[in-house]
Amino acid sequence: MSGTPTDSGPPQLTFPEAMALAHSHWDAGQAQQAEQLCQRIVAKWPQSSDTLHLLGLIAHATGRPALAISHLRQACLTQGAPAIHFSNLAEICRQQGLLVEAEQAGRQAVALDPGLVDAWSNLGIILQESGKLDDSLECLTRVLTLRPDAAQAHNNLANTYRRLDRQDRAGWHYQQALILDPNYAEAYSNLSFLLSSQGHFDEAVAAGRRAIELNPRLIDAYLNIAEAETQRLNHGDALHWLNTLHSLAPKHVGGLTARALVLKKGGLLDEALHCAQQALALAPNDASVHNAMGHTLQALGWHEEALAHFSQAASLPGSVAEEALIARAVLLLESGRKEEAAVAFEQVLSAFPGSIRALAGRSDSKTFKTGDADIAAMEAGLVRGEGLLLADKLTTHFALGKAYLDTGDSARAFHHLDAGNRLKRSTFAYDSQTARQWMQSIVGLFTDEFQSARQGLGAASSLPVFIVGMPRSGTSLVEQILASHPRVHGAGELSSLRLAVERKGAFPQSLVNCSAQDLASIGHDYLERIKPLADGKDRLVDKMPGNFVYAGLTPLILPGARIIHCRRDPVDTCLSCYSKQFSGDQPFSYNQIELGQFYRDYDALMSHWRQLLPAESFIEVDYESVLDDLEGQARRLIDFIDLPWDGACLDFHKTQRVVRTASVNQVRQPLYKTSKGRWRAHAEQLGPLLAALGVADS
């Protein structure tokens, strides 16, 4: 292959000379010249593996991953292609989510050259991301043996230990990486993720910030800080970091996926869907993207589509299979497909034997009896869980608390409930005095004079029906009764009212000098958000309990809307809250004293609304009254929303609809009265709550 001139460079340039010149251009940062020369070389020597390989590296470096992979595939197909070509193909395929091809190329690289350390490192990372963690550990341990003083080797091995839930080993190797290289941004970023998963959120954010100081374009650092902020309920701060990342890398798949999930948590579902769709277009074979799409579609109410994406996520290479399978099982349960859900949970346990997440996930679908094997398995999981993630500890403690409440073992139930609530409470900031002052400021603004001056200025509509109150006060039951009527759509817990109000600024201060236009604008904004959900029905039920704070505003922005306030025995309500880990933000619920204080503040605000609101727009329903007189209360509810009576409302437990609350199991069965006065069996464990409520335990 010598003696033949190329179309550029000095006359009589040989192939080795031409390649040397191409590499010199490349090494000097002259990518365009290097690429043009390589294209001329390939035109004369199409089987040149080295030239195709360099073209692949150039395409990758200049942001053309598909072309890079194409060139590298051709390079690897040529006879005698060296191991490094396969290793680089493996790495670029990994970056594009093509994990099956990446693994094949990586294994070919180490087979061709077992001494190529970088190939073992690339393969170990590929196996790590594919969820083949034992194989990954073997590869990366080999790398560390060959390079014991390499910070990167410690960092990569730590990532696999973290995925194996061996948190102590992961932490040790991250620290070793930072000892070897104190300015190793990636190690700080990965340590941030580990600290977040353990519940050390301040330290996690600090480590992530340090990573960004060292490398402002380190994408994972932004993602890891956002995850820490999300875990401690600072969704606005999480979105800030993800928006910053989006400005740096608008097409980064992980950034779009994380942004979709945070937007979903904030109730911004259309924006969340747009982000998820962008991520899916960029990486159609990425398991994490399908998982995020499933959660987003689930929140939008597109349940069959969500199930399909969860199934796809579980079938693709990656580390989210367990999470996706559990999400699918939970959605089946929420949809009332209890038998299918039971099979789905068994499928998780078959694929992931002893999965504590699956065991805890199905706890709400059953009533435990003494000796249930799931109880022993969850207890064992807590005992043996070296490095068990904070999220798994939380769900397991709450699941065991529920199990022991079912079996009547109050002492063991509260051992786990107290532990779970303490852990959850430690993850976020909450001040009960600030909450009290906020609710008092609402009372101070919404006076008779304020209401009278603004009546009838909003967007008139009879479509919305708001169910408000404390969580676990019977709101799901009342919604299920109403949604069983053929002219009513139960939309579940919507963020729409909060988002419409907050567009005007902080509530209630932003409304001190509100105009007729302001009120109408908020009302129209809300209606625009809910009309696509109404499914052509005459009434839409918005069952967001926390909307009780807006009850005085609601008739002003939405004349014609109805508000149903659900009440239940205060201690039963608070016990039920304390026994649940909520999927949404209920920060007052994880400490008995704070829970009791919040209840009293809520009760004071509702007393104010009771005096202020007109009877045609506001009624109250007692949970105990519904248990004692279902038909009478159901008829009263249907009459209040101005619809003709329909007997289907009495068979509410047969209504097929998705229920996305902690009451999913209860509304699938006929009424039972065992929940009345439930707290008395546990009075000994509820001393702080009873004192905060001012209730005697006799």
Side-chain angles (χ1 to χ4, degrees):
M1 297 203 307
S2 62
T4 305
T6 67
D7 290 340
S8 67
Q12 302 301 315
L13 196 63
T14 66
F15 173 78
E17 292 169 339
M19 283 302 301
L21 182 58
H23 277 290
S24 68
H25 282 312
W26 176 237
D27 293 340
Q30 299 167 344
Q32 184 175 2
Q33 294 93 320
E35 185 172 21
Q36 289 174 349
L37 182 53
C38 284
Q39 287 169 343
R40 293 188 175 100
I41 296 171
V42 168
K44 292 184 176 295
W45 295 289
Q47 296 303 308
S48 168
S49 175
D50 288 342
T51 313
L52 291 165
H53 177 253
L54 182 54
L55 278 170
L57 297 183
I58 294 169
H60 173 64
T62 52
R64 295 170 290 168
L67 181 61
I69 290 172
S70 176
H71 284 313
L72 289 170
R73 283 172 178 159
Q74 292 181 63
C76 292
L77 288 173
T78 61
Q79 187 175 3
I84 188 63
H85 294 185
F86 287 92
S87 182
N88 286 335
L89 173 61
E91 172 59 14
I92 296 176
C93 284
R94 179 195 69 82
Q95 292 179 19
Q96 296 305 304
L98 302 172
L99 294 179
V100 173
E101 183 176 357
E103 182 181 345
Q104 291 172 346
R107 290 192 181 280
Q108 182 68 15
V110 297
L112 286 170
D113 185 355
L116 186 59
V117 179
D118 286 343
W120 285 108
S121 182
N122 286 348
L123 179 58
I125 295 170
I126 291 162
L127 292 166
Q128 179 189 101
E129 294 187 5
S130 299
K132 299 179 180 181
L133 299 178
D134 291 333
D135 289 347
S136 171
L137 190 65
E138 182 180 345
C139 289
L140 296 175
T141 300
R142 179 192 292 251
V143 173
L144 189 62
T145 301
L146 296 170
R147 292 180 179 171
D149 295 328
Q152 188 177 40
H154 282 282
N155 176 70
N156 293 339
L157 183 58
N159 287 340
T160 292
Y161 274 125
R162 176 173 55 78
R163 285 177 164 89
L164 283 164
D165 290 339
R166 295 173 66 177
Q167 309 302 317
D168 293 343
R169 294 297 300 163
W172 187 86
H173 281 287
Y174 287 137
Q175 295 294 349
Q176 287 301 115
L178 290 169
I179 289 170
L180 290 165
D181 182 357
N183 295 320
Y184 191 0
E186 287 80 0
Y188 275 111
S189 175
N190 290 329
L191 181 60
S192 171
F193 188 91
L194 176 68
L195 290 166
S196 177
S197 71
Q198 295 172 329
H200 305 309
F201 300 120
D202 288 340
E203 297 94 324
V205 171
R209 285 180 176 273
R210 178 60 179 149
I212 290 172
E213 288 173 7
L214 292 166
N215 181 1
R217 302 194 68 83
L218 181 56
I219 286 172
D220 281 350
Y222 293 91
L223 294 173
N224 293 337
I225 296 177
E227 175 64 18
E229 296 292 11
T230 300
Q231 289 297 317
R232 60 178 177 181
L233 309 183
N234 292 340
H235 301 315
D237 289 340
L239 194 56
H240 161 75
W241 288 102
L242 293 173
N243 286 341
T244 303
L245 171 58
H246 190 66
S247 68
L248 294 173
K251 293 186 177 182
H252 187 270
V253 172
L256 289 166
T257 302
R259 200 158 174 260
L261 291 174
V262 171
L263 288 166
K264 178 192 77 73
K265 286 179 180 290
L268 300 168
L269 300 183
D270 289 340
E271 295 177 48
L273 179 61
H274 179 65
C275 281
Q277 288 171 332
Q278 285 182 293
L280 191 61
L282 291 165
N285 295 308
D286 189 303
S288 295
V289 173
H290 282 281
N291 189 49
M293 179 64 85
H295 285 291
T296 304
L297 293 171
Q298 182 178 7
L300 283 162
W302 301 351
H303 304 118
E304 291 303 321
E305 295 89 340
L307 288 170
H309 281 284
F310 287 139
S311 296
Q312 183 78 345
S315 69
L316 288 167
S319 58
V320 298
E322 181 182 7
E323 179 188 343
L325 287 171
I326 292 172
R328 180 176 178 275
V330 170
L331 179 50
L332 288 168
L333 185 63
E334 291 174 352
S335 303
R337 296 155 67 173
K338 195 170 182 178
E339 292 182 1
E340 290 179 73
V343 172
F345 277 118
E346 289 296 340
Q347 288 173 340
V348 184
L349 291 166
S350 176
F352 300 91
S355 167
I356 200 164
R357 298 173 186 174
L359 294 171
R362 73 177 180 184
S363 62
D364 273 333
S365 69
K366 61 192 292 187
T367 299
F368 288 87
K369 298 186 183 302
T370 301
D372 191 302
D374 280 9
I375 296 177
M378 287 189 288
E379 289 277 21
L382 283 177
V383 170
R384 72 171 181 267
E386 184 243 328
L388 195 65
L389 297 179
L390 173 67
D392 294 334
K393 290 179 184 176
L394 280 169
T395 56
T396 306
H397 277 304
F398 278 100
L400 283 167
K402 192 263 186 192
Y404 286 123
L405 287 177
D406 286 351
T407 64
D409 192 333
S410 185
R412 286 187 177 179
F414 276 84
H415 166 76
H416 286 289
L417 291 177
D418 290 342
N421 278 286
R422 277 195 304 271
L423 276 175
K424 180 71 174 181
R425 181 64 184 85
S426 71
T427 64
F428 58 84
Y430 171 74
D431 179 57
S432 58
Q433 185 60 30
T434 300
R436 172 173 297 171
Q437 291 171 351
W438 180 60
M439 283 194 256
Q440 289 173 343
S441 72
I442 296 172
V443 171
L445 176 62
F446 287 91
T447 62
D448 285 327
E449 294 76 19
F450 185 90
Q451 300 293 106
S452 299
R454 293 165 175 80
Q455 289 291 345
L457 301 181
S461 175
S462 61
L463 176 64
V465 177
F466 295 97
I467 298 178
V468 303
M470 282 287 289
R472 312 294 292 156
S473 62
T475 55
S476 294
L477 172 60
V478 170
E479 182 194 28
Q480 187 77 350
I481 291 169
L482 292 175
S484 299
H485 193 289
R487 291 168 61 182
V488 177
H489 175 69
E493 298 182 357
L494 303 178
S495 301
S496 305
L497 184 58
R498 174 181 60 81
L499 294 172
V501 172
E502 288 181 353
R503 283 189 65 181
K504 295 298 181 183
F507 177 80
Q509 297 91 332
S510 62
L511 299 175
V512 170
N513 298 309
C514 63
S515 65
Q517 184 178 3
D518 291 332
L519 296 174
S521 173
I522 296 171
H524 285 300
D525 186 345
Y526 176 78
L527 291 173
E528 287 302 308
R529 293 173 187 271
I530 69 164
K531 281 179 180 176
L533 308 175
D535 196 28
K537 303 293 178 68
D538 296 317
R539 302 286 183 270
L540 177 140
V541 179
D542 181 341
K543 189 204 77 73
M544 178 60 78
N547 282 341
F548 74 82
V549 299
Y550 306 122
L553 176 64
T554 302
L556 304 183
I557 62 173
L558 294 162
R562 276 81 163 177
I563 304 168
I564 300 169
H565 174 218
C566 291
R567 301 183 298 195
R568 183 184 180 187
D569 177 277
V571 191
D572 279 339
T573 300
C574 291
L575 168 59
S576 194
C577 288
Y578 191 69
S579 65
K580 295 291 181 184
Q581 183 188 9
F582 291 97
S583 57
D585 299 348
Q586 308 290 358
F588 56 82
S589 184
Y590 300 103
N591 174 283
Q592 289 194 29
I593 295 173
E594 291 174 343
L595 178 54
Q597 290 171 337
F598 183 89
Y599 186 94
R600 294 184 73 162
D601 296 334
Y602 138 82
D603 193 45
L605 181 55
M606 292 312 305
S607 295
H608 179 68
W609 297 144
R610 193 175 297 120
Q611 301 300 318
L612 194 70
L613 296 175
E616 65 268 18
S617 65
F618 178 77
I619 65 167
E620 297 182 289
V621 177
D622 292 325
Y623 176 72
E624 293 80 7
S625 297
V626 177
L627 296 184
D628 292 336
D629 180 17
L630 171 61
E631 183 169 353
Q633 293 299 316
R635 286 182 176 275
R636 177 172 171 249
L637 288 165
I638 298 302
D639 183 63
F640 174 66
I641 65 173
D642 196 25
L643 289 178
W645 172 248
D646 193 290
C649 296
L650 299 181
D651 291 324
F652 63 87
H653 54 285
K654 298 179 182 177
T655 300
Q656 293 300 307
R657 53 181 290 270
V658 171
V659 179
R660 299 209 65 204
T661 74
S663 304
V664 58
N665 202 39
Q666 288 92 321
V667 300
R668 300 291 184 202
Q669 52 190 302
L671 288 183
Y672 55 93
K673 301 184 179 182
T674 54
S675 57
K676 287 176 62 175
R678 174 190 181 210
W679 69 269
R680 296 186 184 280
H682 312 291
E684 185 178 345
Q685 319 292 337
L686 294 172
L689 173 63
L690 296 175
L693 289 171
V695 174
D697 63 0
S698 59

